[in-house]
Amino acid sequence: MTEFTGFDLLPTTPAGRDFVVLAENHAKQFAERATEYDARGVFPFESFKEMRESGFLSASVPHEYGGLGVGLLHDLMVGMSRLARGDAGTAVAANMHIAGAAVIVQMLRRSKADGDTVMADVLAGLLSRVSAGEVLMCFPATERGTDLTSPRMEATPTADGYVLNGRKIFGTMAPVAHLFFPTVRIPNGKGGYRTASAMVPRDTPGLQIVDNWDALGMRTSGSNDITFTDCAIPAGNIFAVRDNYGTTGQWFASFTLTAHLPLIATYLGISEAARDLAIAAAHAVKGRKRLADRVPIQQLVAEIDIDLCTCRAMLQRTARAADEFIARHQTVDPDPAESNALMKEVQCTKYVVNRRAIEVVDRAMTVCGGAAYMNQHPVARLYRDVRAGPFMQPFAPYEALEYIGKVALGLDPNLDR
Amino acid sequence: MTEFTGFDLLPTTPAGRDFVVLAENHAKQFAERATEYDARGVFPFESFKEMRESGFLSASVPHEYGGLGVGLLHDLMVGMSRLARGDAGTAVAANMHIAGAAVIVQMLRRSKADGDTVMADVLAGLLSRVSAGEVLMCFPATERGTDLTSPRMEATPTADGYVLNGRKIFGTMAPVAHLFFPTVRIPNGKGGYRTASAMVPRDTPGLQIVDNWDALGMRTSGSNDITFTDCAIPAGNIFAVRDNYGTTGQWFASFTLTAHLPLIATYLGISEAARDLAIAAAHAVKGRKRLADRVPIQQLVAEIDIDLCTCRAMLQRTARAADEFIARHQTVDPDPAESNALMKEVQCTKYVVNRRAIEVVDRAMTVCGGAAYMNQHPVARLYRDVRAGPFMQPFAPYEALEYIGKVALGLDPNLDR
Amino acid sequence: MTEFTGFDLLPTTPAGRDFVVLAENHAKQFAERATEYDARGVFPFESFKEMRESGFLSASVPHEYGGLGVGLLHDLMVGMSRLARGDAGTAVAANMHIAGAAVIVQMLRRSKADGDTVMADVLAGLLSRVSAGEVLMCFPATERGTDLTSPRMEATPTADGYVLNGRKIFGTMAPVAHLFFPTVRIPNGKGGYRTASAMVPRDTPGLQIVDNWDALGMRTSGSNDITFTDCAIPAGNIFAVRDNYGTTGQWFASFTLTAHLPLIATYLGISEAARDLAIAAAHAVKGRKRLADRVPIQQLVAEIDIDLCTCRAMLQRTARAADEFIARHQTVDPDPAESNALMKEVQCTKYVVNRRAIEVVDRAMTVCGGAAYMNQHPVARLYRDVRAGPFMQPFAPYEALEYIGKVALGLDPNLDR
Amino acid sequence: MTEFTGFDLLPTTPAGRDFVVLAENHAKQFAERATEYDARGVFPFESFKEMRESGFLSASVPHEYGGLGVGLLHDLMVGMSRLARGDAGTAVAANMHIAGAAVIVQMLRRSKADGDTVMADVLAGLLSRVSAGEVLMCFPATERGTDLTSPRMEATPTADGYVLNGRKIFGTMAPVAHLFFPTVRIPNGKGGYRTASAMVPRDTPGLQIVDNWDALGMRTSGSNDITFTDCAIPAGNIFAVRDNYGTTGQWFASFTLTAHLPLIATYLGISEAARDLAIAAAHAVKGRKRLADRVPIQQLVAEIDIDLCTCRAMLQRTARAADEFIARHQTVDPDPAESNALMKEVQCTKYVVNRRAIEVVDRAMTVCGGAAYMNQHPVARLYRDVRAGPFMQPFAPYEALEYIGKVALGLDPNLDR
């Protein structure tokens, strides 16, 4: 018979449970440093060292390649929400790498099914180096003045490979990464482009990590600009070439899913942290009464818990659907309609979680009172961290509405932008 | 391998699937009559005859007693949401009986475990009569000027049983019910009261169903007042005597859970119906453009689907937790803290679903345009039906917030009222 | 020294004060009939008779033509909000005529300034007949499948005038009107159209008032369809011919302003009525406590009053700006940028008042409890009446946002529809 | 004839117009420094020097005492909203002094009417020193663990005056102030307290300004803690002794009004600044289209302008009512019911403006895109500044609801806290 386990999100596999335990332990430690890292605005190399040593960063790598073997996106998501309770910026950064590795696992599985042993060997090697703690990966996709579907960073074919030129922004985890996988466009010879991912080692001449991450929040995420100037890479370092430049189609679900759900869940983690601070503050006495004994404070706490209940349910249901989707399409491409149906559900979840998390932090701030407006109070940091949510890829909130609506109405989901 | 089944709520057991198919078929037919029944404001005896004949009304009765054997609250909930797509008032009424039967199944199981064979026989007999289509049951609990925990309807002990006096309001399904189970209070001899449920056959002298159901919406639910004037019943017709008069404790979860979750789900059904009407309307041409091709309409539809996504996820997660709770406590009483933790989750779900459903209908009305303001348009009925949600027991929205907050803060959950 | 007069909207001229006193008296009487008229769904001829006899319906006609001489839109608005407290449907209908007369006063003033004595005589005569109680005017502008700027009802030039063909919907006050002023289009000979208003006496052959006003709410407004089939009118019965077919420009502010502000204010009246019912209900005892003594009820009432405070302030500021605009442009056309700036402000006000009024009624319903869900409770009617707001011309809420945004951004305000 | 002046708040007196011109000039300059001051977190002594030299800081002092003579709270409010467009923290700090001087003007007027020439001379002297730029005043009222009505800082009577002990928090403008007017309690000899204001020169032994203002936002406001340890002051330095310890009555309106309305208006200024940044950003090209040409961006801008329209209307109406209230009570005490009615209106305004301003900044951030999440972008600062609003005295938002509701329901307005 099942036991009562409360209503937190919980992992559902043994590997997932190990991962979540690690996440909670790291979170506890990171929470203690968070205010100071936030104030100083420097990258938490120390925390990444610890996550590398604990095996946390190889969570998504299968056992056979030396990783923790967390095979469900659902469980990765739960772990990232837990880590974010301690320090959301670090969680966002770690997710870049962990989710990236999970995508590589999917690509490896597909390569094997397709009989592409060359690619399979490359990917397997990569995963082994990840487990060995030798490689941290950064997947910069965002650029100024365009959207995810239309990178302007270009891979120009050369005699023996490609030369890369472009500038990525929000290159999360860049300060500590060894390998960079920017999205690029490749001229298709007909005046248009194809998209792809490039693999660029950190010491490639022309790659520069700009020291410009001075953001409102998520200050431990190391989301620096990265510039690529005539970076030469061999032909084998170009992956996932597709004919989908500028289109919001099937690719979205199958590629970005794995990165996005755990990322969305970090905002749940932020709001759970804010909730705990509010509950603690409510037990203080102010005036004649304990805050907790005032009905309006009870109502504020209720609104917080309603939002958490909402976010957890949506994340859980969507993650399960995503895991089923991934399982169905290990060796075959999904139907575009199914991809979009799922991506719509993911975007509904993102829309709600990002917004609800903001509201939760706002209410927690009200419960905590004026003290929460001081920089040494952790809620002040959460207030800044949580606002990153609506900026997260792939859509601004108003774009998400357009995308969701178009899919709901059975229209072509490409945005009018 | 699982197939892609979309994001509607889906039953998870074979009996549940049969039930949902029946629900969908009934819904189709009821939808055609709904506008007219709504306009005339009369009880849909015809629909109840059909649901009796199809076996729909014995959904929750186990196979061994001749019912459909839907054993999961989750699946009952899915079926009621489907029925409500066709006619929410009828669904609310049918749920009174179906959920009531499910509670009787739980009581029967407990009676057997406790060795109370007298009670077990009574309950088993009741269930068999339900399956035979002989008995429809009404469980009136609401009274004017008090709350669910403190009925003023009184069962006064007599030489050979009890005499009942009181007036229930919102006695849903009363016009067609054969047996009434009002909540009552019994003097405890110390100036206070105990609570209980009484069983009163329709033809009991003194029982009167008042012909006064003329409501804004849910007009097919037959939620008449019922007056009990010196109704004499034998002692064996009093059940579930408890020492909890006026308290919002453990009893809530274990008793009302089964009735409330499918009831909450009827509001999902209403909003799903509104959504479909909006989608259909969006394909009309207005001016130069099809509405569906206007980004603001796409955004409205997106907001609708975000709300549906939210409600479905919350209902699914909460129903699963409730089914686990019920399974854990078939033969033992739950811990009050666990009861309240679950009831808090149910109230979070109710709060969100009731409110989101209202918003969905509002937006659907906007998409449908001025035509939706005319009484012959089904959205006009949904607008009236959906507003019943926040009135539904056990809490007004502001009371739900107080309850949720008190539980969240670890306080005694009794409301300050 | 000014005295404290509370925070209701108040008239600012002597004529305005007389008008508001009349409005309050009528409102008191209409409130008593409102539930019954609403239930029966018939037009309140009796109320119109009383308003004609009291002089209320000639409010906007200057003294020199026998009217009350209310010269400020602000004061008309205040009076209409008061009338709506008693019966919003009747207020909406009366406003059609009263605001229409105010527009005629403006046209008369302009005709005189322009030296157009023929038109001036027609208009002056019309106003005198209005004051004499001989003429009630209906200005139907809405049609199915198009928007206000693009009527499809056509005035085809003939040898001695025009022949009209078309169908108007939401022809408020049609059952009692003597003269109809539908908006029409006139072929411009170049494949396009000009717009105009036609004047059509009720007994014109081919004019038919369809008996189809069976709406969710505003059931006393008599907003029937009106069909025009080969209605012949003389050339002099065509007014305000403009070259603005399909465009949302300057015309909006200068023409529709006068009709719309008092119309918007009727929703303030509805919410004020709902507020008073909530306050009264809050003094009832429920359980151990008076509702008013529970903090959550106090908060609900506070949210109501915050919304009323918001709506009153916006209506007052916008109406004053409108009166200044009208004063500035009695004899000269306004600059389009100024027209749009003002119309933007009006649409901001409409957007907020329509939505806030819906929220106020919703909260009042919660305060009043389950009783408010019964049709005999006035709040049940207000719940249906108030939802008409967002359907009111000229824009659906999502269109209003587009219009406001375009003006704010300095773009051409024509909607992309 | 009036000219079209747009819909910004505008001053209504010549002195008010001078003041607003000064405010706009200062704002322009302060805006240029705001990002740097914010980053460094130091007090803007330079800006205060300029405001002293321009005469801005003597705005509320009558001409006869050498000030600008802005006699209307409305006009002070407009000016403070303008200043806040440039740097809200500085505006909040300047308002502490300017509004304080306005209160002193009211006290002087009352002292003269009451024939209290001693007090009148003290106050007149103070105002002259303010105009001469010799005195900046700080009015610290907030303490940890209690509310405005119940200061714990105590003035203990001594042989020749009082000794003060206590700690104030949020002592805005403390770094630059010469005179401090903390609220204090004085034992009433019966075990209870009276309240009063003390006047304490900066160089009084025992007064210490703690260097601890490191807040999320409003970093130029210098809202340090101030400790008073055995500070001795003469008896004449105690003002406004009242028997209202712990009560939320008449005192609120008559005393805090003048300080609060301009303070609330600074949040309008913040949102106006955010709006301008959004409009500018919308004209950038992103992808194929200019943002401004996308309907969803137009809608976001519309929602911003709707909120601004709301806030301006409420501030204007409430300020006019406040000026009438002040005019009516120059020489007589107001009726408590009238005080509370007005204070309720002020709190409605505060509630809406604080919340709408937060929403406006949030939307502006969305329009500006990811760039706005970087610390060098002014919207990032506005996001932090604007959240101070709900913390501002006298009520947290949930307390404001309770207060407003109690007054609306005709109850004693003291909060249950």
Side-chain angles (χ1 to χ4, degrees), chain B residues 288 373 384 387 417, chain C residues 288 362 373 384 387 417:
Chain B
R288 288 175 292 108
Y373 199 66
R384 293 181 284 99
R387 189 55 182 76
R417 64 184 175 187
Chain C
R288 287 176 291 109
D362 183 84
Y373 199 65
R384 293 180 284 98
R387 189 56 184 74
R417 65 183 174 185

Side-chain angles (χ1 to χ4, degrees), chain B residues 47 51 60 72 75 84-85 87-88 152 186 190 194 200 268 272 294 305-306 335 351 360 380 417:
Chain B
S47 302
M51 288 189 288
S60 52
L72 292 181
D75 288 4
R85 290 185 187 173
D87 180 357
R152 289 177 179 167
I186 306 174
K190 293 175 284 189
R194 289 187 296 167
V200 196
L268 172 64
E272 289 173 329
R294 295 179 62 178
D305 269 21
I306 288 169
D335 179 69
Y351 187 89
V360 166
R417 64 184 175 187

Side-chain angles (χ1 to χ4, degrees), chain B residues 143-147 152 170 212-219 223 285-289 291 294 296-297 300 355 358-359 361-363 365-376 380-388 390-391 396-399 402 415-417, chain C residues 143-147 152 170 212-219 223 285-289 291 294 296-297 300 355 358-359 361-363 365-376 380-388 390-391 396-399 402 415-417:
Chain B
E143 298 179 38
R144 220 180 301 281
T146 184
D147 62 72
R152 289 177 179 167
F170 297 116
N212 68 345
W213 184 241
D214 177 18
L216 177 63
M218 294 291 189
R219 292 169 63 80
S223 302
V285 174
K286 196 176 168 188
R288 288 175 292 108
K289 276 196 170 183
L291 276 176
R294 295 179 62 178
I297 292 291
L300 278 169
R355 182 47 51 186
I358 289 171
E359 300 293 331
V361 172
D362 183 85
R363 290 195 202 94
M365 201 167 229
T366 298
V367 173
C368 292
Y373 199 66
M374 305 306 293
N375 272 335
Q376 74 260 31
R381 171 172 50 85
L382 299 180
Y383 176 74
R384 293 181 284 99
D385 285 353
V386 78
R387 189 55 182 76
F391 290 123
Y398 57 90
E399 292 175 320
E402 186 180 341
L415 303 193
D416 179 27
R417 64 184 175 187
Chain C
E143 297 181 38
R144 220 180 300 281
T146 185
D147 62 70
R152 289 178 180 166
F170 298 115
N212 68 346
W213 182 241
D214 178 18
L216 178 63
M218 294 291 189
R219 292 169 64 78
S223 302
V285 174
K286 196 175 168 190
R288 287 176 291 109
K289 276 195 170 184
L291 276 176
R294 295 179 62 179
I297 292 291
L300 278 168
R355 183 45 52 184
I358 288 172
E359 299 293 330
V361 172
D362 183 84
R363 289 195 204 96
M365 201 167 230
T366 297
V367 173
C368 292
Y373 199 65
M374 305 306 293
N375 271 335
Q376 73 260 32
R381 171 172 51 85
L382 300 181
Y383 176 74
R384 293 180 284 98
D385 285 354
V386 77
R387 189 56 184 74
F391 291 123
Y398 58 90
E399 293 175 320
E402 187 180 340
L415 303 194
D416 178 26
R417 65 183 174 185

Side-chain angles (χ1 to χ4, degrees), chain A residues 397-415:
Chain A
Y398 58 91
E399 293 174 321
L401 290 181
E402 186 179 341
Y403 174 82
I404 294 166
K406 283 182 151 78
V407 175
L409 285 157
L411 307 173
D412 179 326
N414 280 299
L415 303 194

Side-chain angles (χ1 to χ4, degrees), chain D residues 29-47:
Chain D
Q29 209 150 8
F30 299 173
E32 286 171 22
R33 305 171 186 153
T35 300
E36 201 204 324
Y37 269 115
D38 177 67
R40 291 170 47 213
V42 297
F43 190 81
F45 290 101
E46 180 187 14
S47 303

Side-chain angles (χ1 to χ4, degrees), chain B residues 166-401:
Chain B
R167 181 186 193 108
K168 295 290 180 182
I169 60 174
F170 297 116
T172 299
M173 215 198 64
V176 79
H178 307 95
L179 267 182
F180 296 82
F181 294 80
T183 51
V184 297
R185 69 182 184 189
I186 306 174
N188 66 4
K190 293 175 284 189
Y193 300 100
R194 289 187 296 167
T195 59
S197 286
M199 180 167 72
V200 196
R202 188 189 187 92
D203 57 6
T204 304
L207 184 161
Q208 196 203 339
I209 293 152
V210 187
D211 183 18
N212 68 345
W213 184 241
D214 177 18
L216 177 63
M218 294 291 189
R219 292 169 63 80
T220 48
S221 69
S223 302
N224 304 56
D225 286 11
I226 309 169
T227 58
F228 300 84
T229 314
D230 294 330
C231 288
I233 57 167
N237 280 21
I238 288 284
F239 301 82
V241 182
R242 291 185 209 84
D243 244 333
N244 61 356
Y245 193 73
T247 65
T248 315
Q250 162 186 351
W251 164 81
F252 256 122
S254 44
F255 188 73
T256 71
L257 199 61
T258 303
H260 289 155
L261 270 174
L263 193 58
I264 300 168
T266 58
Y267 293 90
L268 172 64
I270 291 174
S271 46
E272 289 173 329
R275 189 257 191 203
D276 288 348
L277 291 161
I279 294 280
H283 287 91
V285 174
K286 196 176 168 188
R288 288 175 292 108
K289 276 196 170 183
R290 211 171 50 142
L291 276 176
D293 293 326
R294 295 179 62 178
V295 175
I297 292 291
Q298 294 166 5
Q299 293 185 321
L300 278 169
V301 168
E303 288 174 349
I304 288 174
D305 269 21
I306 288 169
D307 280 345
L308 293 184
C309 179
T310 302
C311 294
R312 286 170 182 155
M314 295 183 84
L315 285 166
Q316 185 182 75
R317 187 167 200 243
T318 305
R320 283 179 176 168
D323 277 320
E324 289 174 15
F325 176 89
I326 291 168
R328 273 198 299 276
H329 303 107
Q330 295 195 353
T331 59
V332 292
D333 285 340
D335 179 69
E338 187 184 342
S339 291
N340 281 320
L342 177 60
M343 181 48 80
K344 165 174 172 273
E345 210 77 2
V346 175
Q347 294 312 315
C348 288
T349 303
K350 178 181 189 294
Y351 187 89
V352 173
V353 173
N354 282 169
R355 182 47 51 186
R356 292 298 104 205
I358 289 171
E359 300 293 331
V360 166
V361 172
D362 183 85
R363 290 195 202 94
M365 201 167 229
T366 298
V367 173
C368 292
Y373 199 66
M374 305 306 293
N375 272 335
Q376 74 260 31
H377 196 291
V379 166
R381 171 172 50 85
L382 299 180
Y383 176 74
R384 293 181 284 99
D385 285 353
V386 78
R387 189 55 182 76
F391 290 123
M392 292 273 163
Q393 296 285 13
F395 294 129
Y398 57 90
E399 292 175 320
L401 289 181

